């Protein structure tokens, strides 16, 4: 059977998100909720509306919305008759779900698969009243919020679930919905929430017990541990303090009395009061953090329960640990080190204690935490990083229990590479090769089996069966002279060794957040404008060379590719992007112009899209708008509409399949052809002046700040040719030179420096 039509019942947070991702896959989906009084489809329509939220779009393009049919469970239930999959995502109430299943069973065809998105109710209870024919076709598909962006899908089997049903669901969810499917037994909280909620609770209690401020705890239980920067208090605010306390309570209710979770689950009186006062987090505008009326971030004082300023806290220990690794935190004897040890030692040993209850291998737990909670490493990978023996010794010293699976690993590790293959430990000291489905290659795993051909602190390149793979790996994968030199070296070697091609990729949160502004700041603070010009020129030369080499060049970006990171992508011959990748040239926000060929590419691409070689003025305006507004595209589909990507560029919904696709694209003709950048006849002075007038008028209307006009003027100068006669002919190199001149002239202004300072020191640029 093939899944051609789906129904999602319940159009709340999860149901709408699931329907959105099904629509992103181009599959028809009915989204049903309870009938409304005035408008029967109001709830489903509201769910669809939420998917169009520009801040976190659940759809990869507005066109995808056409696959969703909003409806209601009174008038449209017969639509289920020809659905191949019915995904139930109604409120977490057993009685409501059970009543619904009775109705579904009467309408659906006898092959239809039915799943629940429940977080806490065991399958056994969900289907206890249902006939065997229904139970065989029933499973839990536990998606994470927001569905488009969270990679994990926990697929839970019941005692009676037909293996063919699980196989079909796994294939559909992995290949068409792009999920990392982790099979789970029907144990409480499955895998991700079982470990994730434990870790959050542990961090929360540790912070209260040790008297840490929320910002201190978040600075530690965040990036330095490879955990998203929302930390613990930020995450509580994000999820909702009331919702989290319900989740904790439901785990308390369903976990056996001897489970370690209970020791971390005691309610905290302050939080009970917060819920009573409506301080439930972001949705109410106040929780542990809030924005003041003046727009400043404030934080709750955990002692006197008042809000006060929340300046960005930079903890040297946390900063150092981000580079030096988790052990640096654990070895620290300060209160911060004690916090880190308490949280991590308990979380890691709790994860180890779950084996064999939830399965026999660490891979599923590690995958669940990486894909469902966005941790950079799973618990067992973290144990390997700090050392199994180190963890055991310190647990023993603390008189804490050492789980059996952990003590079995004494003197060894949970992962190893044998004969070029990555293996994971099983119970009883056995090992197994980690095998991913055909077409899935995670570079973070593949890398463990390879030796870099060249490596520096910020970038490396590897030989992947005759293809050079360049990986940036600085903080946020920002670029500096060394990253560009690494790319240059890889290009040299592909040429000299006659390798098959070049791939730009990393299995990280982001491909690259652009040129490291710290580098730019060091140049101007050191009055070294020549050095800055050389840096830019080198960047331009290398990306230009890459666009013109004889061999194939494929970029396979994930996450953010912005600023200089996107300029690198713009010079790859073909782009195979992840469906959630975000692209754009955002330099104007920090008072700069793209100086690595980005302005030039934006213009040439608009000329191609508009097919206006004879009169490029319309393309100049389009490029001017893209650059001036620092437009970003939240999907490759939108990037194509913005001429950021070219018609031959493609996207892949499952990011684990990106690398394999990029490897096979090396053979495609479009990855081999250098794109032509012929001389252009520039509109010059007149259009340049029209743009300047438009900038001034927009400023007078209050739309732009004064420095926006200065920056916009430089963009106008680059894309029109500036103060030159109409008809002046400009080469590709002229554009590169113009970009550098404008970049340097802007860097010389105090206003640009103020934007860069606030970006680097406060985390966002000022508006000036
Ligand atoms: P929600 O409250 O946002 O939405 C539930 C929706 O179900 C509402 O729109 C409600 O009107 C509708 N509904 C209630 N009874 C119905 C019925 N009989 N027929 C049709 N619609 C009905 O809830 P949610 O957060 O989307 O959670 C849905 C399910 O997903 C729950 O089982 C929850 O445990 C699970 N879940 C939630 C999350 C999360 O982060 N929110 C994550 C994973 C799983």
């Amino acid at each position: 059977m093939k899944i051609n039509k789906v129904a999602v019942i319940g159009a709340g947070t999860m149901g709408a998100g699931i329907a959105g991702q099904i629509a992103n896959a181009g599959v028809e989906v009915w989204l049903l909720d309870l009938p409304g009084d005035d408008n029967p489809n109001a709830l489903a329509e509201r769910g669809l509306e939420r998917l169009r939220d520009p801040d976190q779009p659940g759809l990869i393009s507005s066109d995808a919305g056409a696959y969703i049919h909003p409806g209601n469970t009174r008038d449209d239930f017969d639509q289920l008759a020809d659905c191949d999959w019915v995904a139930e995502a109604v409120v977490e109430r057993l009685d409501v779900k059970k009543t619904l299943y009775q109705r579904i069973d009467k309408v659906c065809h006898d092959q239809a698969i039915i799943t629940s998105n429940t977080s806490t109710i065991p399958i056994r209870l969900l289907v206890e009243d249902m006939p065997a024919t229904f139970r065989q076709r029933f499973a839990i598909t536990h998606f994470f919020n927001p569905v488009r962006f969270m990679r994990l899908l926990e697929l839970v089997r019941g005692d009676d679930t037909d293996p063919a049903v699980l196989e079909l669901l796994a294939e559909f969810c992995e290949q068409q919905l792009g999920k990392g499917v982790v099979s789970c037994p029907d144990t409480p909280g499955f895998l991700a929430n079982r470990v994730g909620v434990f870790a959050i609770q542990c961090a929360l209690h540790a912070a209260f017990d040790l008297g840490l401020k929320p910002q201190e705890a978040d600075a530690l239980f965040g990036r330095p541990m490879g955990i998203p920067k929302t930390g613990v208090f930020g995450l509580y605010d994000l999820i909702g303090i009331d919702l989290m306390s319900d989740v904790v309570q439901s785990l308390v209710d369903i976990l056996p009395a001897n489970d370690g979770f209970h020791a971390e689950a005691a309610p905290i009186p302050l939080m009970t009061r917060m819920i009573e006062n409506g301080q439930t987090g972001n949705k109410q505008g106040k929780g542990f953090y809030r924005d003041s009326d003046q727009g400043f971030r404030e934080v709750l004082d955990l002692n006197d329960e008042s809000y006060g300023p929340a300046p960005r806290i930079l903890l040297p220990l946390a900063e150092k640990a981000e580079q030096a690794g988790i052990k640096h935190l654990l070895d620290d004897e300060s209160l911060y080190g004690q916090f880190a040890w308490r949280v991590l030692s308990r979380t890691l040993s709790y994860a180890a204690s779950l084996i064999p209850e939830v399965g026999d291998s660490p891979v599923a737990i590690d995958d669940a935490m990486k894909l469902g909670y966005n941790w950079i490493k799973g618990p067992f990978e973290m144990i390997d990083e700090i050392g199994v023996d180190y963890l055991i010794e310190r647990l023993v010293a603390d008189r804490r229990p050492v789980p059996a699976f952990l003590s079995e690993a004494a003197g060894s590790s949970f992962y190893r590479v044998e004969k070029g293959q990555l293996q994971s430990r099983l119970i009883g000291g056995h090992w197994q090769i980690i095998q991913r489905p055909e077409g899935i290659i995670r570079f973070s795993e593949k890398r463990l089996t390879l030796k870099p051909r060249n490596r520096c602190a910020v970038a490396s390149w590897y030989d992947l069966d005759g293809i050079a793979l360049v990986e940036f790996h600085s903080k946020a994968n920002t670029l500096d002279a060394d990253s560009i030199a690494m790319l240059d070296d890889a290009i040299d070697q592909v040429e000299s060794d006659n390798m098959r091609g070049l791939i730009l990729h990393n299995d990280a949160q982001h491909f690259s957040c652009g040129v490291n502004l710290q580098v730019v700041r060091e140049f101007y603070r050191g009055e070294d404008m020549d050095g800055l010009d050389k840096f830019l020129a080198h960047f331009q030369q290398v990306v230009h060379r890459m666009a013109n080499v004889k061999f194939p060049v494929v970029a396979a970006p994930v996450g953010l590719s912005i600023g200089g990171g996107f300029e690198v992508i713009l010079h790859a011959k073909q782009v195979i992007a992840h469906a959630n990748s975000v692209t754009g040239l955002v330099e104007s926000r920090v008072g700069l112009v793209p100086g690595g060929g980005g302005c030039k590419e934006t213009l040439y691409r608009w000329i191609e899209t508009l097919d206006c070689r004879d009169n490029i003025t319309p393309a100049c305006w389009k490029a001017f708008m893209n650059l001036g507004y620092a437009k970003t595209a939240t999907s490759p589909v939108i990037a194509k509409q913005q001429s950021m990507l070219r018609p031959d560029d493609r996207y892949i919904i499952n990011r684990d399949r990106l690398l394999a696709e990029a490897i096979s694209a090396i053979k495609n003709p479009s990855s081999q052809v250098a794109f032509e950048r012929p001389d252009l006849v520039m509109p010059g002075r007149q259009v340049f002046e029209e743009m300047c007038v438009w900038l001034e008028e927009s400023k007078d209307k209050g739309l732009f700040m004064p420095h926006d006009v200065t920056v916009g003027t430089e963009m106008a100068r680059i894309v029109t040719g500036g103060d030159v006669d109409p008809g002046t002919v400009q080469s590709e190199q002229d554009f590169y030179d113009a970009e550098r001149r404008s970049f340097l002239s802007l860097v010389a202004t105090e206003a640009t420096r103020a934007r860069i300072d606030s970006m680097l020191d406060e985390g966002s640029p000022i508006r000036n």
Side-chain angles (χ1 to χ4, degrees), residues 190-213:
F190 314 127
L191 299 181
N193 285 344
R194 181 87 175 263
V195 177
V197 177
F198 181 96
I200 299 168
Q201 282 297 112
C202 209
L204 187 78
H205 279 278
F208 273 94
D209 292 351
L210 296 170
L212 297 191
K213 295 189 177 97

Side-chain angles (χ1 to χ4, degrees), residues 448-467:
L448 301 172
T449 66
L450 301 169
K451 213 171 139 262
R453 284 281 298 269
N454 194 356
R455 182 183 166 84
C456 67
V458 292
S460 308
W461 78 268
Y462 296 81
D463 182 343
L464 256 188
D465 300 325
I467 299 168

Side-chain angles (χ1 to χ4, degrees), residues 695-709:
L695 286 166
E696 282 297 337
E697 284 174 357
S698 302
K699 188 191 76 180
D700 293 344
K701 285 183 204 152
L703 299 174
F704 292 157
M705 302 297 285
H707 197 53
D708 294 335
V709 176

Side-chain angles (χ1 to χ4, degrees), residues 12-14 33-34 89-90 92 96-97 117-119 142-143 145:
T13 309
M14 296 308 294
D33 205 296
L34 296 169
V90 304
E92 189 72 334
V96 176
K97 292 183 194 272
N117 199 56
T118 179
S119 300
H142 189 234
F143 287 88
N145 182 34

Side-chain angles (χ1 to χ4, degrees), residues 244-507:
M244 264 307 286
S245 77
D246 289 348
V247 171
V248 171
Q249 190 53 47
S250 67
L251 280 171
V252 167
D253 293 343
I254 52 180
L255 284 167
N258 64 352
D259 193 277
F261 183 77
H262 296 288
E264 306 294 339
I268 291 175
L270 165 69
M271 292 171 66
T272 312
R273 283 196 294 281
M274 288 174 74
I275 295 171
E276 283 162 9
N277 296 339
Q279 295 160 279
T280 51
N282 298 358
K283 62 184 167 185
Q284 291 295 334
K286 56 185 176 180
F288 289 108
Y289 297 96
R290 72 171 187 190
D291 285 332
S292 71
D293 295 340
Q294 290 76 34
F296 296 114
R297 194 160 148 85
E298 293 186 327
V299 62
L300 190 73
D301 184 317
L302 301 182
N303 296 314
D304 70 13
E305 299 179 32
S306 66
Y307 287 98
R312 195 169 175 216
I313 290 194
L314 290 177
L315 299 181
L317 174 67
E319 297 279 302
K320 180 80 202 298
E322 247 187 271
Q323 312 299 325
I326 302 169
K327 196 146 170 291
H328 186 79
L329 278 182
L330 302 182
D331 284 338
D332 188 86
E333 287 174 2
S334 70
L335 214 54
Y336 298 146
Q338 289 171 38
F339 171 82
W341 166 250
R342 175 165 155 179
V343 176
L344 276 182
S345 62
R346 291 182 190 195
T347 303
L348 302 183
S349 49
Y350 183 67
S353 76
L354 296 181
I355 289 185
E357 182 200 333
V358 300
D360 64 353
S361 138
V363 180
I365 293 181
D366 280 350
D367 274 356
M369 296 317 296
K370 288 187 287 186
L371 305 182
Y373 273 73
N374 278 338
W375 288 13
I376 290 174
K377 288 187 177 180
F380 294 96
E381 291 168 324
M382 286 197 217
I383 300 177
D384 277 2
E385 180 187 328
I386 62 178
V388 173
D389 294 348
Y390 173 94
L391 179 60
I392 293 176
E393 274 164 31
R394 285 197 62 180
L395 285 172
V396 171
D398 280 5
R399 296 175 194 280
R400 293 192 66 83
V402 179
F405 190 52
L406 179 61
S407 43
E408 274 183 12
S412 178
S413 59
F414 288 100
Y415 293 92
R416 69 176 186 189
V417 175
E418 279 282 299
K419 299 191 183 125
Q421 285 179 310
L422 186 61
Q423 301 184 338
S424 69
R425 171 177 290 278
L426 295 176
I427 302 167
H430 304 291
W431 292 87
Q432 80 177 358
I433 296 169
I434 299 177
Q435 265 166 341
R436 301 287 180 195
E438 176 85 29
I440 288 189
I441 308 173
R442 284 193 197 148
F443 187 63
S444 52
E445 290 175 2
K446 182 81 185 162
R447 191 206 299 115
L448 301 172
T449 66
L450 301 169
K451 213 171 139 262
R453 284 281 298 269
N454 194 356
R455 182 183 166 84
C456 67
V458 292
S460 308
W461 78 268
Y462 296 81
D463 182 343
L464 256 188
D465 300 325
I467 299 168
L469 185 145
V470 175
E471 181 194 38
F472 300 128
H473 46 67
S474 60
K475 189 172 172 182
N477 297 331
T478 53
L479 308 175
D480 63 19
D482 289 344
S483 348
I484 299 306
M486 188 61 63
L487 179 56
D488 204 21
D489 181 61
I491 296 172
D492 279 344
Q493 296 303 314
V494 176
E495 268 176 355
S496 65
D497 294 3
N498 213 4
M499 294 173 74
R500 291 195 285 144
L502 176 72
I503 290 177
L504 307 163
H505 174 69
N506 54 26
D507 185 12

